[in-house]
Amino acid sequence: MEARDAELKKELDATLHARRDLGEEYESALVDSFLGKVEQRLDGTIDRRMRRHMAEQQMVVARGSRAPNSPVDSWGERFGFGIVSLILAIPLSAIGVVNADLPGLFVTWGGIVGVNAVHSLRGVNFGRDKDRDRKSEWDD
């Protein structure tokens, strides 16, 4: 990236030098020319990123994984997890009551509620910035 920055700096220096040589009457054309080069550079960077992003999505789909922008879990997954935890709650409750009476029942149900709460909060962001860990838009 530094090589491209150096190249862009050379272009800017050449544009400023040409402006000094040619005068203010050519300033608009020189600025337009330089901005056109910057725009081409940005277009190239955006094209590369879009191709990379599309290739990553195609790889995810080809592997049969979840799409990158899909939610962490679906309603069916949450519903199924709740049903399984309720079915398992019956024998776990019996084991808790047999071994520790009423406190064992409370501990068992506390665990069941805790596991379900953690599962339901699995996709919640809690104020973390998803974009903070991403590379800058200018990085390539």
Side-chain angles (χ1 to χ4, degrees):
M1 182 164 153
E2 290 179 21
R4 288 185 289 172
D5 288 343
E7 183 182 323
L8 194 59
K9 185 175 180 342
K10 285 181 185 177
E11 290 287 337
L12 178 60
D13 289 341
T15 302
L16 292 174
H17 185 70
R19 187 218 177 257
R20 274 185 246 128
D21 290 346
L22 297 174
E24 290 186 19
E25 56 271 0
Y26 292 101
E27 182 174 339
S28 178
L30 290 170
V31 169
D32 287 342
S33 172
F34 178 74
L35 289 178
K37 291 174 185 176
V38 171
E39 185 177 6
Q40 286 176 347
R41 168 93 31 93
L42 287 174
D43 287 344
T45 302
I46 290 169
D47 287 343
R48 279 192 306 276
R49 286 202 183 140
M50 288 303 296
R51 284 193 304 270
R52 184 182 315 137
H53 182 70
M54 294 299 290
E56 289 171 358
Q57 283 186 336
Q58 288 174 352
M59 290 295 293
V60 167
V61 170
R63 290 180 180 151
S65 300
R66 221 178 244 143
N69 295 330
S70 69
V72 173
D73 58 357
S74 64
W75 180 85
E77 182 181 343
R78 289 191 313 261
F79 182 73
F81 190 83
I83 294 296
V84 168
S85 67
L86 286 176
I87 291 171
L88 292 176
I90 296 168
L92 290 174
S93 297
I95 293 169
V97 168
V98 167
N99 289 320
D101 295 323
L102 192 57
L105 182 66
F106 288 140
V107 169
T108 301
W109 275 93
I112 293 168
V113 169
V115 166
N116 279 286
V118 168
H119 180 70
S120 69
L121 295 175
R122 193 173 59 173
V124 177
N125 196 359
F126 290 119
R128 285 178 281 167
D129 187 8
K130 290 188 283 187
D131 294 333
R132 181 181 60 205
D133 298 331
R134 281 195 198 153
K135 293 169 70 174
S136 167
E137 286 193 20
W138 297 101
D139 293 342
D140 192 24

